[in-house]
Amino acid sequence: MAAPLRIQSDWAQALRKDEGEAWLSCHPPGKPSLYGSLTCQGIGLDGIPEVTASEGFTVNEINKKSIHISCPKENASSKFLAPYTTFSRIHTKSITCLDISSRGGLGVSSSTDGTMKIWQASNGELRRVLEGHVFDVNCCRFFPSGLVVLSGGMDAQLKIWSAEDASCVVTFKGHKGESCCVTQAGLKLLRSRDSPASASQSAGITGILDTAIVDRGRNVVSASRDGTARLWDCGRSACLGVLADCGSSINGVAVGAADNSINLGSPEQMPSEREVGTEAKMLLLAREDKKLQCLGLQSRQLVFLFIGSDAFNCCTFLSGFLLLAGTQDGNIYQLDVRSPRAPVQVIHRSGAPVLSLLSVRDGFIASQGDGSCFIVQQDLDYVTELTGADCDPVYKVATWEKQIYTCCRDGLVRRYQLSDL
């Protein structure tokens, strides 16, 4: 990937006034960084600023919320997108997870302020507070219906909630209450999520770190710091089995439909009639011990085990055979399940932890612990950077149609409009 360009996080506000300035830089691998600035020469009749760049940089295009800049010397080019709106009143502290409902009307988020809330996606107005977990909620997501929420917490409990009246309709218990050995990478990840003090407290507490919903949601998958991934029957509030016992914290999980060419193996026992939609599915586990594990969801059989450069924090499927996984030391691995020994490519933009990955249209969105959040699209020769977070980690990204939502350690939810591009 070309040398990453960076820009002042509040560039859109800074360049809205005459002679307003914003800094920018280019960081070619193995070379000295190049620094420059943007200056507003005035605001046009259409409300769009007229901006010039200092030597070494070129402004290719600008509108109210985006600017396309290149550094010809390093053959680098990026489009920067400012937030369309920012929600500051949902939580009082770091927001660790968020999701948007299938119809785009509601958002759900969890925070280190100890709360999980449902809010109006259009304006951030609070709708419900979901109370019942002990300690913090690590992950939350909507079921496909958009009417029900799945959450996992530090209390090792998995809960299902009604988005309409905030009632907890199901609680799953089964993950262990004592933690696995927490490695140095694990402590780094905890510290990137919280302050060092709370990280040391968290290190002794098991938690459910990620979840996945199978098809329409009669079954769900949970991944925990106790080293196990489990399959649950929502209708009967029961665990259908341990899918994997890794002996190492599972930081991220993804379920995806498998291409017909992939051998998922056969189950050793007849699957329960309560398993719905697990056939022809892959289960991906991002593990703390630097391993990325892929299983047949129904067969529980190993498809591959890939060893990366550091702890894996997150993973997602791009297609029936392509996947992405991000590590603590900043690598994004793209793998082909049909030949997983060598990566298709490894993207490395900084040494900051890769905290979330999300497939979008013909590409993906990634966020990192240094505040960067970017969209890579196959048909474009530049990366789109989602700005505003400065140096605070961006923990999670969610999309609905042409809108992108991010949550950050600074306690803000930012909403971006891809139509602004």
Side-chain angles (χ1 to χ4, degrees), residues 247-306:
S248 174
S249 175
I250 303 173
N251 297 323
V253 62
V255 170
D259 185 83
N260 292 335
S261 63
I262 297 168
N263 180 11
L264 298 179
S266 300
E268 294 179 356
Q269 298 177 342
M270 182 69 69
S272 164
E273 62 180 16
R274 303 295 299 179
E275 278 196 34
V276 181
T278 58
E279 64 278 0
K281 298 287 195 311
M282 295 178 287
L283 174 67
L284 197 58
L285 305 175
R287 295 169 38 170
E288 182 73 18
D289 58 2
K290 305 184 182 181
K291 293 175 183 176
L292 183 69
Q293 183 175 354
C294 183
L295 303 169
L297 180 57
Q298 188 179 82
S299 70
R300 323 299 202 242
Q301 300 297 313
L302 182 69
V303 176
F304 74 80
L305 190 66
F306 178 82

Side-chain angles (χ1 to χ4, degrees), residues 75-90:
N75 194 30
S77 178
S78 290
K79 182 166 275 192
F80 298 94
L81 184 61
Y84 181 80
T85 187
T86 299
F87 305 143
S88 59
R89 297 182 179 179
I90 300 173

Side-chain angles (χ1 to χ4, degrees), residues 102-165:
S102 55
R103 296 181 181 178
L106 296 176
V108 63
S109 55
S110 58
S111 168
T112 57
D113 64 12
T115 66
M116 177 168 51
K117 298 179 178 181
I118 292 175
W119 35 274
Q120 200 72 33
S122 59
N123 57 17
E125 182 181 337
L126 183 64
R127 295 286 297 274
R128 303 280 185 271
V129 178
L130 307 181
E131 297 178 311
H133 278 287
V134 183
F135 308 120
D136 291 349
V137 179
N138 291 328
C139 50
C140 55
R141 67 172 69 240
F142 282 100
F143 278 76
S145 67
L147 303 175
V148 186
V149 170
L150 176 68
S151 67
M154 280 187 176
D155 54 9
Q157 294 183 22
L158 197 66
K159 289 180 178 286
I160 296 176
W161 310 79
S162 166
E164 296 178 309
D165 63 10

Side-chain angles (χ1 to χ4, degrees), residues 39-228:
T39 304
C40 176
Q41 306 294 343
I43 307 295
L45 295 176
D46 55 4
I48 297 174
E50 298 173 7
V51 175
T52 57
S54 58
E55 185 178 355
F57 297 90
T58 303
V59 177
N60 301 315
E61 182 185 5
I62 185 171
N63 65 32
K64 290 181 180 179
K65 290 291 183 180
S66 71
I67 186 168
H68 185 192
I69 296 170
S70 59
C71 178
K73 181 181 177 183
E74 297 299 335
N75 194 30
S77 178
S78 290
K79 182 166 275 192
F80 298 94
L81 184 61
Y84 181 80
T85 187
T86 299
F87 305 143
S88 59
R89 297 182 179 179
I90 300 173
H91 294 284
T92 59
K93 292 184 180 180
S94 171
I95 305 173
T96 54
C97 192
L98 92 168
D99 193 25
I100 303 298
S101 65
S102 55
R103 296 181 181 178
L106 296 176
V108 63
S109 55
S110 58
S111 168
T112 57
D113 64 12
T115 66
M116 177 168 51
K117 298 179 178 181
I118 292 175
W119 35 274
Q120 200 72 33
S122 59
N123 57 17
E125 182 181 337
L126 183 64
R127 295 286 297 274
R128 303 280 185 271
V129 178
L130 307 181
E131 297 178 311
H133 278 287
V134 183
F135 308 120
D136 291 349
V137 179
N138 291 328
C139 50
C140 55
R141 67 172 69 240
F142 282 100
F143 278 76
S145 67
L147 303 175
V148 186
V149 170
L150 176 68
S151 67
M154 280 187 176
D155 54 9
Q157 294 183 22
L158 197 66
K159 289 180 178 286
I160 296 176
W161 310 79
S162 166
E164 296 178 309
D165 63 10
S167 62
C168 177
V169 294
V170 174
T171 296
F172 301 112
K173 296 182 180 179
H175 284 287
K176 295 176 183 176
E178 65 275 353
S179 67
C180 286
C181 174
V182 179
T183 64
Q184 284 299 109
L187 285 170
K188 285 183 198 170
L189 181 59
L190 286 165
R191 290 189 180 112
S192 76
R193 290 175 174 164
D194 298 299
S195 67
S198 61
S200 61
Q201 294 164 7
S202 302
I205 301 173
T206 280
I208 294 171
L209 300 181
D210 201 9
T211 61
I213 294 173
V214 182
D215 280 355
R216 299 178 66 180
R218 289 177 65 178
N219 294 165
V220 298
V221 175
S222 61
S224 171
R225 198 168 286 147
D226 70 6
T228 66

